[in-house]
Amino acid sequence: MFSSKKPDPFFNALYDIAVNCNKAAHYAEEFKITSIADLKELSVTLKKYETDGDTLIHNLIQMLNKSFMTPIEREDILELAVRMDDILDGIEGCIAHFEMFSLTEVDDYMRDFLKYIVLSTDEITKAMTHLTNKKLVNMREHAILIKDYERKCDEVLRTSIKQLFLHEQDPIRIIKFKDIYEQLEEVADYCQNVANSMDTIIMRNA
């Protein structure tokens, strides 16, 4: 079906989108928040990743509009790209809420969410490497792992909110922490959406 020798620009573009998202996730997880100034720095940097992501999506759309032939359905290419961009938007939006709330406290539940999100973006990047090599079936193992990480995030969400209402007395802190927990779980859902898109591509083309 595919030319094995010639790199495909659409698959390369999807790989670039995945790498940008992966770098943003790692940056968010590894950044140490100790002050309000740190929150601003983190937010500004994540916004740059998001802007770069928007540029990559825009360039891909231009390529799709100009090309008569695509290696797989153009709708599948665009959906996969947009699903990956949702992850980046979700991470940036969550960090923006940290800054809006002036929340410098990162608890173990937030670290668990971020750990699984980072692992998911690692798997997405590996899957896009298989895609650039035109080995679509090899994406399946990464899709399975991503869905498993999302299930783990569901468990973290249930536990975190239960413990929050059991032990926290300050209603403002409850509002802030619940919001962050739910946003992080939503990012995990976005990761699962990417896995679902990968499954669709495999089913239609492998």
Side-chain angles (χ1 to χ4, degrees), residues 138-174:
N138 290 356
M139 295 194 296
R140 182 169 290 125
E141 62 183 290
H142 304 291
I144 291 169
L145 284 171
I146 293 163
K147 292 176 184 180
D148 186 54
Y149 294 140
E150 192 279 333
R151 284 191 291 272
K152 292 181 187 299
C153 283
D154 282 343
E155 295 171 7
V156 175
L157 180 66
R158 287 191 289 269
T159 302
S160 62
I161 291 182
K162 178 180 178 180
Q163 294 302 314
L164 182 65
F165 281 95
L166 279 174
H167 301 292
E168 183 57 63
Q169 301 299 316
D170 183 347
I172 300 301
R173 281 175 61 84
I174 289 175

Side-chain angles (χ1 to χ4, degrees), residues 76-123:
D76 289 340
I77 294 172
L78 182 57
E79 178 171 349
L80 181 55
V82 170
R83 296 297 191 190
M84 288 191 286
D85 194 55
D86 285 343
I87 299 170
L88 184 52
D89 288 345
I91 294 170
E92 189 277 328
C94 183
I95 296 304
H97 277 232
F98 269 91
E99 186 189 8
M100 286 189 291
F101 294 157
S102 297
L103 184 63
T104 58
E105 180 182 350
V106 179
D107 65 17
D108 288 340
Y109 298 119
M110 296 174 194
R111 292 188 187 95
D112 284 342
F113 278 121
L114 284 168
K115 176 182 69 176
Y116 292 127
I117 289 167
V118 167
L119 288 171
S120 293
T121 62
D122 288 345
E123 295 304 320

Side-chain angles (χ1 to χ4, degrees), residues 2 16 40 56 63 93 100 133 187 196:
F2 305 117
D16 290 341
K40 182 65 177 178
L56 291 170
M63 286 172 55
M100 286 189 291
N133 293 326
V187 175
N196 291 337

Side-chain angles (χ1 to χ4, degrees), residues 9-53:
F10 293 102
F11 292 162
N12 288 341
L14 290 169
Y15 175 79
D16 290 341
I17 292 168
V19 168
N20 185 60
C21 179
N22 185 235
K23 288 179 178 178
H26 275 275
Y27 183 83
E29 183 195 32
E30 294 164 8
F31 192 92
K32 305 302 181 186
I33 300 172
T34 59
S35 66
I36 299 297
D38 289 338
L39 289 174
K40 182 65 177 178
E41 179 183 348
L42 178 59
S43 183
V44 168
T45 303
L46 263 297
K47 187 64 180 176
K48 184 180 184 306
Y49 278 115
E50 190 223 8
T51 301
D52 291 344

